[in-house]
Amino acid sequence: MYALTLPQLLEQVKRPGAAVAFNFISLDDMLGIVKAAEVESVPVIIQVTQAALAHVGIDYMAAVGMAAARRARVPVCLHLDHATDFALIMQGIKLGFSSVMIDASALAYEENVKATRRVVDVAHSVGVSVEAELGRIGGREDNAMGDGPDWLTDPDQAEQFIAETGVDALAPSVGTAHGIYTGTPAVRFDLIRAIAVRVDKPLVLHGGSDLPDEVVREAIRSGIRKFNVGTDLRIAHARSLKKMFDSVGDVSASHALAARQTGIEAVCEEARKKIRMCRV
Ligand code: 13P
């Protein structure tokens, strides 16, 4: 099967309900994520951040994502996450990403609109969907620092942003942060609901790791349609390898091979938990 756009994939997810978007950084992540979606029989979004691409290059990651989308027995959307670089987004579109995120949220509102509109114009002309961010989501996308200030999204401005940019999905800032939380996250369900009534596009919850099940479910009931998870997969993967090597107490070529399967299974188990969490 070919990779679907975000709206095409979400058409297959009943309301209220969300598709999980899993960040991958390796082939083994991808194998674990797709296996989880197949076992749970759900459409899945696989995504990679600009920073995660930097290690190997976008061509490599696109090839892994395209192979996964072709082989998967469930619908797949291949999404470029948190991209700030216009040239990289264009490259991603050429390489087969079916959906892209332009994250110009660090810019002033007018500049965010301009940068987002520029991506939407090109992406839509070739049938690729676009997600954008309004307000600032805390934490850091590619590690577990959980630092940085938050700026919550204003519902009126969100409505205006959608009209001015034509994006297909909006990532608002509603109290979550990327990475592991340092305290109890105060997710603003009221704000999600207020944005959802003004915005007729899917809302995306970033910073999905380390959130209690009930918080995730309430966020989805309030209007979230795409639920992003990265850090928890990294931790599950790393823990599984530590446990395995601690128990064998040695390293060898066969242990290295076994470790790959261990890692894939750990990612799969964690991804299945997140998928089940989204059943409201
Ligand atoms: P976490 O790493 O906190 O799960 O966040 C993932 C994310 O929002 C990617 O955009």
Side-chain angles (χ1 to χ4, degrees), residues 148-203:
D150 290 359
W151 293 272
L152 297 177
T153 301
D154 173 62
D156 292 331
Q157 199 176 55
E159 185 176 12
Q160 191 187 340
F161 186 78
I162 296 289
E164 289 180 344
T165 60
V167 284
D168 303 285
L170 182 72
S173 177
V174 292
T176 58
H178 297 100
I180 295 300
Y181 292 92
T182 45
T184 310
V187 179
R188 291 280 307 274
F189 307 114
D190 60 323
L191 190 53
I192 298 173
R193 285 192 288 271
I195 298 169
V197 294
R198 286 178 182 70
V199 167
D200 64 348
K201 297 289 177 186
L203 299 181

Side-chain angles (χ1 to χ4, degrees), residues 1-260:
M1 209 190 268
Y2 57 92
L4 301 181
T5 65
L6 202 46
Q8 285 168 343
L9 184 121
L10 289 176
E11 265 171 30
Q12 305 187 37
V13 179
K14 68 167 182 51
R15 289 170 188 272
V20 192
F22 292 108
N23 285 77
F24 73 100
I25 60 168
S26 71
L27 172 61
D28 291 352
D29 278 342
M30 183 61 85
L31 295 170
I33 292 164
V34 170
K35 184 173 174 188
E38 288 179 340
V39 173
E40 296 292 336
S41 205
V42 291
V44 68
I45 301 154
I46 46 180
Q47 59 185 19
V48 59
T49 61
Q50 183 172 308
L53 290 171
H55 300 295
V56 293
I58 190 168
D59 53 344
Y60 234 117
M61 292 306 224
V64 170
M66 298 282 283
R70 261 196 314 275
R71 284 219 202 162
R73 296 192 301 271
V74 292
V76 168
C77 168
L78 177 60
H79 181 78
L80 181 58
D81 189 29
H82 283 293
T84 54
D85 179 354
F86 182 77
L88 183 85
I89 294 173
M90 294 302 111
Q91 209 186 343
I93 290 173
K94 282 191 197 131
L95 287 167
F97 280 84
S98 55
S99 187
V100 294
M101 177 181 188
I102 163 71
D103 181 359
S105 61
L107 306 178
Y109 176 80
E110 293 302 339
E111 294 304 309
N112 188 352
V113 168
K114 210 188 287 174
T116 302
R117 183 76 247 174
R118 188 171 174 223
V119 171
V120 168
D121 285 345
V122 183
H124 282 183
S125 73
V126 291
V128 167
S129 54
V130 182
E131 174 185 333
E133 180 170 323
L134 182 66
R136 294 294 303 279
I137 297 165
R140 305 224 336 236
E141 280 90 35
D142 287 292
N143 63 28
M145 297 298 288
D147 60 359
D150 290 359
W151 293 272
L152 297 177
T153 301
D154 173 62
D156 292 331
Q157 199 176 55
E159 185 176 12
Q160 191 187 340
F161 186 78
I162 296 289
E164 289 180 344
T165 60
V167 284
D168 303 285
L170 182 72
S173 177
V174 292
T176 58
H178 297 100
I180 295 300
Y181 292 92
T182 45
T184 310
V187 179
R188 291 280 307 274
F189 307 114
D190 60 323
L191 190 53
I192 298 173
R193 285 192 288 271
I195 298 169
V197 294
R198 286 178 182 70
V199 167
D200 64 348
K201 297 289 177 186
L203 299 181
V204 184
L205 192 70
H206 281 246
S209 292
D210 197 29
L211 286 177
D213 291 27
E214 201 31 56
V215 168
V216 174
R217 293 204 174 101
E218 188 56 27
I220 292 170
R221 283 192 287 263
S222 303
I224 292 299
R225 295 281 287 154
K226 173 175 180 264
F227 174 59
N228 282 13
V229 175
T231 302
D232 277 347
L233 295 188
R234 305 291 89 77
I235 291 174
H237 187 261
R239 274 204 186 121
S240 74
L241 297 192
K242 181 173 186 317
K243 191 169 160 207
M244 186 201 129
F245 282 109
D246 282 353
S247 76
V248 296
D250 194 9
V251 288
S252 69
S254 59
H255 289 139
L257 280 175
R260 287 201 57 203

